[in-house]
């Protein structure tokens, strides 16, 4: 919360985990400049909407979020930032109620920029950013942005345009930032980036730079877990997987985007791998890490996707038994190569394929979750609330399952929970009798 009389800020974040990490870091910058969240029941003076434009739906959701921010907080200054703001700044500036439009690179100095902007300066008597925001609450699980930008130019993706080329953050700065987050209470660090597997390449480093960074982060006292947001299959090198296998604090969770199980579609998508390599990488990872959870993203209905292509995707999903499947229906993003491709797939076919794939993903996930029942799981407690008179805690396992259980005064602890039941959003469990307090 802010000092009495100081301006306040609220955030709305759309899109990927990198955007979430960047919103967290903007909130820290603003707090360091004395601009914190509003008191409960009060409106903010500034709303920062961190937008996304990865699909047509994401763009639409970003537009709605901006309009909603302006409607709900008519007295607040509305700041649009992020990929949608970069891809179409003129359109964003024309949305009723939007006061300031900023790009992705502005996120690193948002407090400074807003202080100097005529549109917001009357509100922002902000101090130069402090190294560590006083009283800033950091989550038990904190994102750490290691890298941004991408140079792969997948044909459906706007990110190389909106975020520019691959840029990694220097390891020294990341270690300092991680230390601050851990000192403020974070126990799990989630390393985020658009293309983490290439961390350090632009700094003249090589494919070992990611493991070097992990080693340094794990030297920080108090880091209980280190998680990767996602990584491309070709970066699951022996060294990367071997390191995860050798270090119990590295989460047994790998999100490895697949997008399609057909080489013909992968080629049209300009994806930097083919299916045999993808499968070999993941099966090798599973050999070394038998308990690893493998999650993925799939796009259905990419231009020209035949029923055979789609069957190949279903086959790969079955074979690799992903713990979590994120299914996206393809929609053309203007200014991408795929937007000009022929052989568009009809909305009905996309819908039908998406339904079949989601059903398969759910079935595999249920079987995978069932394998957790009766086991004691290490859960890092991230939330605790009273629900109809009962205190319920929840947190995540290292293989990325949310577990709910009765308990109190456990926020921030790593507890052992026996899993008893599958829920739509994870697992239910209970604590051994002596650990349940309150
Ligand atoms: S790898 Fe492809 S999909 Fe991922 S950010 Fe880069 S261009 Fe986009």
């Amino acid at each position: 919360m802010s000092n009495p009389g100081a301006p306040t800020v609220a955030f709305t974040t759309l899109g990927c985990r990198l955007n979430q990490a960047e919103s967290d870091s903007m909130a820290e910058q603003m707090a360091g400049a004395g601009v914190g969240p509003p008191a409960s029941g009060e409106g903010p003076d500034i709303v920062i909407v961190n937008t996304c434009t990865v699909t047509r739906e994401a763009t639409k959701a970003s537009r709605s979020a901006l309009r909603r921010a302006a409607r709900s907080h008519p007295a607040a200054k509305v700041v649009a930032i992020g990929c949608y703001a970069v891809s179409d700044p003129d359109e964003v500036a024309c949305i009723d109620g939007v006061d300031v439009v900023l790009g992705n690179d502005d996120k690193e100095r948002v407090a400074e920029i807003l202080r100097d902007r005529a549109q917001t300066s009357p509100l922002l008597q902000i101090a130069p950013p402090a190294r560590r925001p006083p009283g800033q609450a950091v989550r038990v699980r904190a994102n750490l942005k290691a890298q941004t930008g991408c140079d792969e130019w997948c044909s459906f993706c706007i990110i190389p345009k909106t975020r520019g080329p691959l840029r990694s953050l220097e390891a020294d700065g990341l270690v300092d930032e991680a230390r601050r987050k851990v000192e403020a209470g974070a126990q799990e660090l989630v390393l985020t980036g658009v293309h983490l597997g290439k961390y350090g390449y632009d700094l003249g480093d090589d494919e070992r730079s990611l493991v070097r960074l992990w080693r340094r982060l794990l030297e920080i006292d108090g880091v209980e877990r280190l998680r990767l947001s996602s990584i491309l299959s070709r970066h699951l090198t022996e060294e990367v997987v071997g390191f995860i296998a050798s270090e119990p604090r590295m989460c047994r969770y790998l999100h490895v985007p697949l997008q399609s199980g057909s080489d013909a579609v992968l080629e049209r998508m300009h994806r930097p791998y083919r299916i045999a390599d993808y499968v070999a990488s993941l099966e090798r990872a599973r050999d070394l890490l038998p308990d690893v959870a493998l999650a993925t993203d799939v796009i259905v209905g990419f231009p020209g996707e035949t029923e055979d292509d789609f069957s190949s995707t279903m086959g790969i999903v079955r074979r690799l038994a992903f713990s979590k499947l994120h299914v996206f229906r393809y929609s053309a993003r203007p200014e991408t190569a795929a937007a000009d491709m022929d052989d568009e797939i009809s909305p009905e076919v996309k819908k039908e394929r998406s339904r079949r794939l989601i059903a398969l993903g759910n079935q595999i996930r249920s079987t995978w979750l069932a394998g957790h029942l009766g086991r004691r799981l290490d859960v890092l407690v991230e939330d605790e609330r009273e629900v109809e008179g009962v205190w319920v805690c929840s947190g995540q396992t290292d293989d990325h399952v949310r577990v709910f259980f009765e308990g109190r005064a456990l926020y921030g602890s790593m507890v052992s929970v026996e899993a008893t039941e599958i829920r739509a959003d994870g697992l239910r469990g209970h604590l051994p009798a002596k650990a349940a307090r309150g």
Side-chain angles (χ1 to χ4, degrees), residues 150-154 156-160 194-195 232 259 271-272:
C150 185
D151 48 16
E152 298 291 351
W153 294 95
C154 297
F156 55 84
C157 182
I158 192 80
I159 282 179
V194 173
H195 199 343
L232 285 187
Q259 308 307 9
R271 294 292 287 173

Side-chain angles (χ1 to χ4, degrees), residues 357-368:
L357 194 54
I358 289 172
L360 176 63
N362 288 343
Q363 185 195 321
I364 295 171
R365 181 166 173 81
S366 293
T367 309
W368 179 75

Side-chain angles (χ1 to χ4, degrees), residues 369 392 402 404 421-428:
L369 282 174
V392 178
R402 184 160 284 276
F404 298 80
E421 203 181 310
I422 298 175
R423 292 174 39 136
D425 50 357
L427 291 168
R428 195 189 309 278

